[in-house]
Amino acid sequence: MQVVILAAGQGTRMRSSRPKVLQPLGGSSLLGHVLATARSLGPKRLCVVFGHGGEAVPAVFPESDIRWVRQVPQLGTGHAVRQALPELDASGVVLVLYGDVPLLSVSTLRTLVAMAGDGERLALLTAHVEDPTGYGRIVRDGGGGIVRIVEHKDATPDERAIREINTGIMALPGACLADWLGRLNNDNAQSEYYLTDLIALAAADRVDIVASHPSVAWETLGVNDKAQLAQVERILQHEIAQGLLASGVTLRDPARIDVRGSLACGKDVEVDVGCVFEGRVVLGEGVRVGPHCVLRDVEVAAGTHIAAFSHLDGAQIGADCRVGPFARLRPGTVLGAEAHIGNFVEVKNSVIGIQSKANHLAYVGDASVGSNVNIGAGTITCNYDGANKHRTVIEDDVFIGSDTQLVAPVTVGRGATLGAGTTLTRDAPAGALTLSRARQTTIEGWKRPRKSRS
Ligand code: UD1
Ligand code: CA
């Protein structure tokens, strides 16, 4: 089986400078979804016809299994498939997909392809709809056999009354394709070479034409404008949420979660409202995620609680940690088990050891923090000297008083204590109290200034 994805169309109604098939959907793009579905079918060839948007479309998909075919100008769906002929074998089945129909299921396509046999039959994916306006209509003869497709703009009033429509997706006999495409003309309302005109040619050549239908109606929704883009996004998110519920995840509101990538959950995971998961996220058993958190490329081990409004990106979080509310973990953060990262604490490219805590208002960047360390409120690692980044090492059992600056590169030895307000510019020895602080003085008899009367 070979796949051709048509993705050259303009998409004017998106009112966007981004090519239509690159519009975002569930953390990927419209075309990204179609490519993923196509790959699940294990095709021998995977061709994408592109045109509008130029090289911007292939640039997003560097994968070497795709054969890119340029279609300029875009003279219709039949013309588009004809451009792909040099990349196709004249045998087996050629499955035509649209780059802007992203929700088709693999099982619906498997059924369609199976109906086409080894290319003995032409199989169409059709649907019965309430309002067929705009679609090509499936014209059947007295015996119920499919004889042709008529486009809406070319259809007579009687034909327009037909409620069975062409979804556009079809499985064609590879051996006939070059011949049929060569016989197309553009003598129609849109002056286009219609792929749908192949059906009449197949009927004339006495090739069997069969139809199958999508498992659910929304599978064949096409995306032409931002309203339809939002609609398919909601359908996709609804499906993902249902899958999570079915696997035992507690979602406080399945309508208020967005998964833009993959989310794998252990048993008894709870996710509150308004959370966004991006990239690859793994939540271990019993993990709870509070409301309005964003997690991108994060692994969270069992029993950890992420409290409200936390933003976690590229972090690895150990078991039984407490993170947030209002925590920010940036790429390269690794938290050991039972670590606590509290409100308004930012951690970047740092390892925080077991049972260590930074509970309030701190910045920990490019640091190695041992276990059982207490980082006081307002503590900052000064990791950047304006040109280079330097590391801070904080060994086990250290206590850092509030409002301390650690000017890297610097090391705080095991068990050391830093007094509040210290600006540490040299290493602090293990086990000792180190502080840098002007001695406190009191001026006796001092009076506050008063407003002068004039
Ligand atoms: C097409 C079908 C119609 C069907 C409908 C389903 C034809 C002639 N008509 O109509 O029967 O009911 O889809 O949505 O096929 N494309 C190209 N190059 C082109 C033209 C189109 O790559 O020159 C691509 C578009 O990017 C799009 C797809 O083909 O992904 C369909 O094109 P579109 O213009 O939307 O087809 P419709 O007129 O809607
Ligand atoms: Ca069109």
Side-chain angles (χ1 to χ4, degrees):
M1 198 260 304
Q2 310 172 74
V3 171
V4 177
I5 301 174
L6 305 189
Q10 189 166 5
T12 328
R13 281 175 282 165
M14 283 289 170
R15 297 184 184 280
S16 168
S17 49
R18 193 194 295 220
K20 172 159 92 169
V21 292
L22 296 185
Q23 295 290 333
L25 176 67
S28 173
S29 58
L30 294 175
L31 181 54
H33 279 266
V34 180
L35 281 168
T37 309
R39 285 195 181 104
S40 306
L41 298 165
K44 185 167 77 173
R45 296 279 164 75
L46 182 52
C47 299
V48 180
V49 181
F50 73 106
H52 190 80
E55 296 299 325
V57 178
V60 173
F61 303 97
E63 302 94 323
S64 59
D65 61 336
I66 305 172
R67 292 163 186 242
W68 294 97
V69 177
R70 183 193 281 277
Q71 186 203 15
V72 179
Q74 289 106 45
L75 303 178
T77 49
H79 178 255
V81 176
R82 197 159 69 201
Q83 309 313 302
L85 277 178
E87 299 292 342
L88 299 173
D89 272 358
S91 66
V93 173
V94 175
L95 175 66
V96 176
L97 302 175
Y98 287 180
D100 57 0
V101 179
L103 299 181
L104 276 167
S105 72
V106 172
S107 68
T108 290
L109 292 176
R110 284 223 173 93
T111 307
L112 180 75
V113 169
M115 288 184 84
D118 198 27
E120 308 92 77
R121 290 176 296 274
L122 189 161
L124 295 174
L125 191 67
T126 76
H128 295 268
V129 296
E130 279 301 306
D131 178 12
T133 308
Y135 289 102
R137 309 297 205 283
I138 307 296
V139 181
R140 292 174 181 266
D141 63 17
I146 297 174
V147 290
R148 64 193 169 90
I149 294 177
V150 62
E151 291 302 304
H152 180 91
K153 286 185 179 152
D154 300 290
T156 63
D158 277 355
E159 288 165 341
R160 286 189 179 181
I162 299 171
R163 296 260 197 85
E164 187 184 8
I165 58 104
N166 172 35
T167 65
I169 309 306
M170 47 183 85
L172 304 165
C176 308
L177 215 46
D179 172 49
W180 290 344
L181 290 170
R183 283 153 68 189
L184 290 181
N185 64 55
N186 64 351
D187 185 11
N188 54 52
Q190 303 185 80
S191 299
E192 283 182 5
Y193 295 90
Y194 291 162
L195 187 63
T196 45
D197 282 352
L198 291 195
I199 313 313
L201 294 174
D205 285 357
R206 309 214 164 278
V207 171
D208 270 353
I209 303 164
V210 291
S212 72
H213 313 294
S215 322
V216 284
W218 49 253
E219 277 190 49
T220 57
L221 283 176
V223 179
N224 297 300
D225 56 29
K226 293 289 169 73
Q228 289 168 335
L229 184 63
Q231 186 191 6
V232 297
E233 180 77 49
R234 283 306 100 206
I235 292 169
L236 179 65
Q237 294 303 338
H238 175 83
E239 290 302 298
I240 293 170
Q242 294 307 311
L244 291 168
L245 292 171
S247 73
V249 177
T250 299
L251 300 178
R252 291 299 165 79
D253 182 355
R256 284 185 287 169
I257 174 173
D258 282 83
V259 181
R260 300 177 189 150
S262 73
L263 173 58
C265 296
K267 276 213 178 86
D268 296 311
V269 165
E270 290 181 30
V271 179
D272 213 322
V273 301
C275 291
V276 178
F277 298 90
E278 298 182 334
R280 183 178 164 278
V281 177
V282 180
L283 305 180
E285 194 167 328
V287 165
R288 285 182 294 147
V289 183
H292 304 289
C293 292
V294 177
L295 280 73
R296 178 201 293 146
D297 295 324
V298 170
E299 281 183 35
V300 185
T304 285
H305 180 204
I306 315 287
F309 302 108
S310 293
H311 190 282
L312 318 182
D313 181 7
Q316 208 180 309
I317 300 170
D320 300 311
C321 290
R322 298 286 168 270
V323 175
F326 298 102
R328 176 156 189 226
L329 304 185
R330 291 170 52 201
T333 296
V334 178
L335 301 188
E338 297 174 50
H340 289 191
I341 300 295
N343 42 223
F344 310 109
V345 173
E346 175 179 346
V347 182
K348 185 214 78 172
N349 191 29
S350 296
V351 178
I352 310 278
I354 295 169
Q355 292 185 334
S356 287
K357 298 176 176 62
N359 274 326
H360 336 264
L361 302 154
Y363 172 61
V364 180
D366 301 311
S368 303
V369 178
S371 60
N372 198 34
V373 168
N374 198 314
I375 297 179
T379 296
I380 285 174
T381 54
C382 308
N383 57 328
Y384 185 53
D385 60 12
N388 298 299
K389 302 266 171 78
H390 303 281
R391 288 200 73 81
T392 299
V393 177
I394 302 170
E395 295 179 354
D396 296 347
D397 303 316
V398 163
F399 182 97
I400 299 180
S402 299
D403 195 26
T404 292
Q405 301 98 52
L406 300 133
V407 183
V410 73
T411 296
V412 183
R414 187 183 182 118
T417 301
L418 302 187
T422 293
T423 300
L424 194 73
T425 52
R426 283 172 289 134
D427 293 352
L433 169 67
T434 298
L435 71 167
S436 73
R437 196 188 281 172
R439 194 167 288 278
Q440 183 171 320
T441 57
T442 301
I443 300 172
E444 299 294 343
W446 178 83
K447 292 264 186 313
R448 278 192 204 167
R450 299 195 170 200
K451 266 204 172 131
S452 52
R453 271 185 240 149
S454 57

